[in-house]
């Protein structure tokens, strides 16, 4: 017998697209400007973690804002330009692979978000951070939103800016060293990337030596030299 669908409403609202409701409630409390914070690049084996802070203009919110992972490359690029053109403030910051190795990726991600917020041309009264953690050391109150890039348009805008900027940085790495295909996989652990690491070793100051497979196989044997590799 087929199972009947319950006629009671769901206990929790299913969020599909980000909106401006969290920001609107903050404005009603007198907390304006509101900045959205997000990062890109927590999972890759190479490259920096990049964060962005965005203060949207409530009167000029771009259409189509969403979690950057749910957008195509063309959509991200178009929205990136629109966000820069219409927002009240946009700032970006990164933490390099060496700094990630010296602490950990969570601390590095939160530090990148803090730096991005501090780089804004205006002082926010509230920061909305994607995830479970509020970056320490913010110059204003902060609120963490799990899946914030699918709930808050400000965070969604920050996710797009961070993703586009990081992809451009990794594309630059691919132009400097064609062996690894950074411009294709952006430093993630694809088969192509892992094969290149096995063949050529890791690039000093580009690869995250604290990540597997480097720490499994041994740092000294894996690290290759590359002149002028410290581009981050």
């Amino acid at each position: 017998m087929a199972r009947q669908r319950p006629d009671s409403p769901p206990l929790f609202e299913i969020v599909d697209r980000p909106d401006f409701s969290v920001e609107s409630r903050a404005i009603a409390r007198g907390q304006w400007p509101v900045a959205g914070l997000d990062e890109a690049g927590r999972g890759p084996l190479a490259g920096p973690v990049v964060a962005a802070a965005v203060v949207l203009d409530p009167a000029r919110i771009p259409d189509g804002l969403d979690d950057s992972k749910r957008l195509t490359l063309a959509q991200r690029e178009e929205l990136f330009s629109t966000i820069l053109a219409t927002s009240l403030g946009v700032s970006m910051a990164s933490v390099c692979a060496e700094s990630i190795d010296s602490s950990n990726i969570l601390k590095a991600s939160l530090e990148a978000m803090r730096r991005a917020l501090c780089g804004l041309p205006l002082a926010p009264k509230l920061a909305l951070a994607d995830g479970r953690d509020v970056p320490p050391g913010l110059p204003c109150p902060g609120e963490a939103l799990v899946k914030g890039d699918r709930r808050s348009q400000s965070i969604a805008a920050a996710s797009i800016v961070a993703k586009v900027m990081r992809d451009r940085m990794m594309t630059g790495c691919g132009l400097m060293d064609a062996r690894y295909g950074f411009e294709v996989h952006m430093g993630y652990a694809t088969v192509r990337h892992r094969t290149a690491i096995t063949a050529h070793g890791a690039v000093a100051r580009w690869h995250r030596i604290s990540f597997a497979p480097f720490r499994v196989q041994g740092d000294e044997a894996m690290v290759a030299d590359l002149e002028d590799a410290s581009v981050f």
Side-chain angles (χ1 to χ4, degrees), residues 21-40:
S21 60
V22 178
E23 294 89 336
S24 295
R25 290 193 293 270
I27 293 172
R29 297 192 301 266
Q31 290 180 295
W32 180 256
V34 177
L37 301 177
D38 204 357
E39 50 74 27

Side-chain angles (χ1 to χ4, degrees), residues 44-134:
L45 302 180
V49 59
V50 177
V54 176
V55 178
L56 293 173
D57 182 345
R60 303 176 68 193
I61 297 176
D63 292 331
L65 291 176
D66 200 355
D67 174 3
S68 63
K69 296 183 291 296
R70 300 203 294 187
L71 300 171
T72 66
L73 172 62
Q75 289 172 326
R76 288 195 299 267
E77 289 286 347
E78 182 177 356
L79 280 166
F80 176 84
S81 298
T82 304
I83 292 165
L84 294 187
T86 61
S87 297
L88 300 177
V90 179
S91 174
M92 293 151 273
S94 66
V95 172
C96 67
E98 283 186 305
S99 294
I100 293 170
D101 288 335
S102 66
S103 57
N104 61 58
I105 187 58
L106 175 59
K107 290 180 180 178
S109 299
L110 296 176
E111 172 60 14
M113 286 194 278
R114 185 195 68 80
R115 293 179 187 178
L117 184 76
C118 291
L120 284 169
L122 69 172
K125 295 291 182 63
L126 177 66
L128 302 175
D130 182 48
R132 298 182 180 277
D133 302 287
V134 175

Side-chain angles (χ1 to χ4, degrees), residues 132-154:
R132 298 182 180 277
D133 302 287
V134 175
L138 295 181
C140 67
E143 180 180 345
L145 295 179
V146 176
K147 296 189 180 298
D149 45 12
R150 301 187 183 192
R151 298 169 60 188
S152 159
Q153 288 178 323
S154 298

